[in-house]
Amino acid sequence: MYFSGFKCNQDIRSMARQTSGAALLALGLALAPQQSTAQDNLPSYYPSSYSDLIEAAKQEDGKLVIYSSYDQPRWNPVFEAFMERYPFVSSVKNLDMEGEQVYEKLRAESSRGIAGGDIVEIQPSVGALLRDQQDLILAYDSVEASQYNENIIEPYENGYQYTITPVIIGYNKAILPEDINSLSDLAKQIAEDTSGDLMVGVRDIKSAYAFTGYYSLLDARPELWDAFEVILPKSRPEGSSGSMLTKLQTGEYAATVYISSATMISAADKSSGLLGYTAPQDGTSFQGGAVSIASSTKRPATAKLFIDFMLSQDGQQAILEGGRTAIRKGLEPASGMVSFEEISQDLSDDAVVTVPYETITEADKEAFAVRWNSLRDQ
C-alpha cells in the first residue's frame, strides 16, 4: 500500500536520525528578566522567533481542549509531560468521541463561530475530508515536522500524523497451541479443526475505523480474501477491542482479528502464557492518527506548542508510554507497547499496509460490504 506516494515502511526507515528532545525540557519555565530567554533552551532547528510563540501562549488562559477517539488514560502521560514543560498551562482536557463525531463537531462549531475544541484528532477517513475543507483548521507549519519524512508526518495539509497503530491477531494458546504468524496460519488452523466449535472475533465493519482498515488491507493484498473465506464463516462481529479481548480470555473466541495492539500486547504480557499475538506477516493493517488545530480556537499559541510537543522526542515518548504506537525513531521501550519502528522491522515492506487518508467511493464500499457479509452469513 502506498501512502502519499511512498511505501510507509520504507519512509519510516529512511527518516534521518532523530534529534534528542532533552534540550526542550526547560521551554515552559518562567524566566526572570536577568536570565537567558526561552530561546536559549531550544534545539538548533527551532527558529529564533519561537520564544515569541511561548510568550504569546503565556498570555492565553492556560487551558487546552482536545477532541479525540482515545480515552483519557491514553492521553494522561502526554498531558502531564506537556504541562511539566509549560507550567503556565494549568489544564488540558480530552473529550472522547469517535472520529466521525470529531469531524461533525468541528464543522458545527466552525459554522456557528463557537470556540470549543482547540486540537482535533483525525482518522484517515476524516483526513480526506479536511484536505478539501481547510477553513475548518488553522494553518500551521510545525517546526518538528522537519525531523520526519514529509510523506509520513503530514498526510493532509495542516494535519500532523503522530501515531500509526497496527491492528493485529490475538489468539488463545490453550485452544490454538500452534504459533500463528499470519492470517493464512489462522485460516489453516480453523480449516483443520474437526470440532467445528472454533469461533473468531472480528471488528464490525459498521465502524468506519474497522471498515477502512479491512478495505485497505484487502485492496493492497487481494490474495488474503482466501484466508477470510475461511475465517469469516466462523466469526462474530465486535464493536471494540475490549469486548474481543474479554471473549478471547474466557475461551469464547479462539482468536481475534483486527484487535488493537495497545489492548492485545499488554494483555498477552500479563496472561502467563495463555494469550499470544502477531502482526500478520502476510499483511498487517496500520491505522494512523493525525492532529490539527481548530480554526475556531481561542488559544492558537498554546495549541501550536502542543502540536510541536506531540511530535518532539519527549512527546513521542509520552505517547508510547500512554499506549499508542509512536512513529519517531530512537524511543525508549515502554512496557506492554511497541513503537512503529519496533513492530515494523520484522515485516516486509509489502506486509505493511497503511490506511491512506483517502475517501472510499460509495460503490466500492457497497461492493466490499456485500462480499464481506456474504462470507459471514455462510
Side-chain angles (χ1 to χ4, degrees):
M1 170 60 68
Y2 283 78
F3 178 71
S4 299
F6 292 80
K7 283 188 178 179
C8 178
N9 201 29
Q10 292 172 330
D11 286 339
I12 287 286
R13 291 173 178 170
S14 66
M15 286 183 193
R17 187 176 183 85
Q18 304 304 308
T19 300
S20 171
L24 295 175
L25 289 176
L27 275 178
L29 296 178
L31 300 178
Q34 69 272 20
Q35 292 179 302
S36 59
T37 64
Q39 181 66 31
D40 295 330
N41 299 308
L42 299 175
S44 60
Y45 54 87
Y46 275 50
S48 59
S49 60
Y50 202 80
S51 58
D52 296 335
L53 179 62
I54 296 172
E55 292 303 316
K58 289 179 180 179
Q59 304 308 310
E60 295 173 350
D61 65 4
K63 299 178 181 179
L64 205 63
V65 177
I66 296 173
Y67 297 157
S68 87
S69 57
Y70 287 100
D71 57 18
Q72 191 71 23
R74 296 268 191 254
W75 280 108
N76 281 340
V78 184
F79 294 166
E80 290 168 4
F82 179 66
M83 290 189 289
E84 182 177 355
R85 173 78 57 81
Y86 299 107
F88 55 84
V89 179
S90 60
S91 172
V92 185
K93 294 182 179 180
N94 169 61
L95 297 184
D96 183 4
M97 58 185 75
E98 290 299 318
E100 294 80 4
Q101 291 177 305
V102 171
Y103 172 67
E104 292 301 333
K105 195 165 180 60
L106 178 62
R107 285 187 58 194
E109 290 175 349
S110 178
S111 65
R112 298 170 188 169
I114 299 172
D118 304 297
I119 302 286
V120 290
E121 190 224 23
I122 300 301
Q123 294 177 358
S125 59
V126 177
L129 299 174
L130 288 184
R131 182 178 290 115
D132 301 321
Q133 297 185 35
Q134 287 287 306
D135 59 307
L136 297 179
I137 54 181
L138 190 69
Y140 181 53
D141 293 325
S142 172
V143 66
E144 286 288 349
S146 66
Q147 303 303 294
Y148 296 82
N149 184 289
E150 64 183 41
N151 300 292
I152 291 300
I153 199 62
E154 193 172 3
Y156 61 92
E157 189 177 359
N158 297 309
Y160 294 99
Q161 187 162 237
Y162 70 95
T163 182
I164 305 176
T165 302
V167 277
I168 61 179
I169 293 174
Y171 58 100
N172 189 310
K173 293 183 177 181
I175 304 173
L176 299 175
E178 294 182 28
D179 287 342
I180 293 175
N181 296 307
S182 65
L183 287 159
S184 298
D185 283 349
L186 175 59
K188 179 176 180 292
Q189 291 200 46
I190 291 173
E192 292 175 349
D193 173 57
T194 57
S195 70
D197 295 331
L198 292 185
M199 292 301 299
V200 177
V202 299
R203 285 296 297 270
D204 195 334
I205 62 169
K206 291 179 182 178
S207 158
Y209 177 85
F211 184 93
T212 54
Y214 283 127
Y215 179 91
S216 298
L217 178 66
L218 289 162
D219 183 56
R221 303 296 302 271
E223 68 276 12
L224 289 178
W225 274 112
D226 291 344
F228 280 98
E229 286 176 359
V230 177
I231 294 169
L232 288 177
K234 304 294 293 184
S235 73
R236 295 194 191 105
E238 294 287 343
S240 71
S241 290
S243 62
M244 293 169 78
L245 175 62
T246 298
K247 294 175 182 178
L248 186 65
Q249 290 169 323
T250 61
E252 183 174 344
Y253 290 151
T256 55
V257 177
Y258 217 80
I259 188 168
S260 164
S261 59
T263 299
M264 189 65 232
I265 293 175
S266 177
D269 288 349
K270 299 173 183 176
S271 71
S272 300
L274 175 65
L275 304 180
Y277 65 88
T278 189
Q281 294 179 1
D282 50 2
T284 296
S285 183
F286 287 78
Q287 284 268 9
V291 283
S292 293
I293 302 172
S295 59
S296 57
T297 178
K298 288 186 177 180
R299 307 165 182 122
T302 306
K304 291 173 182 178
L305 292 182
F306 187 77
I307 293 287
D308 290 337
F309 178 75
M310 287 186 71
L311 302 179
S312 72
Q313 195 81 11
D314 290 345
Q316 285 279 290
Q317 188 68 49
I319 287 164
L320 184 66
E321 291 171 358
R324 286 174 284 179
T325 311
I327 65 173
R328 193 152 178 162
K329 296 179 76 173
L331 301 175
E332 295 295 324
S335 177
M337 196 57 212
V338 293
S339 67
F340 183 87
E341 182 182 19
E342 291 176 288
I343 203 163
S344 65
Q345 65 186 358
D346 294 328
L347 296 172
S348 68
D349 292 335
D350 289 341
V352 175
V353 179
T354 303
V355 178
Y357 287 69
E358 297 174 359
T359 301
I360 303 171
T361 69
E362 291 302 319
D364 286 341
K365 287 180 181 179
E366 182 177 357
F368 182 89
V370 167
R371 184 172 184 179
W372 181 275
N373 289 327
S374 69
L375 294 174
R376 277 210 60 251
D377 294 338
Q378 289 182 11

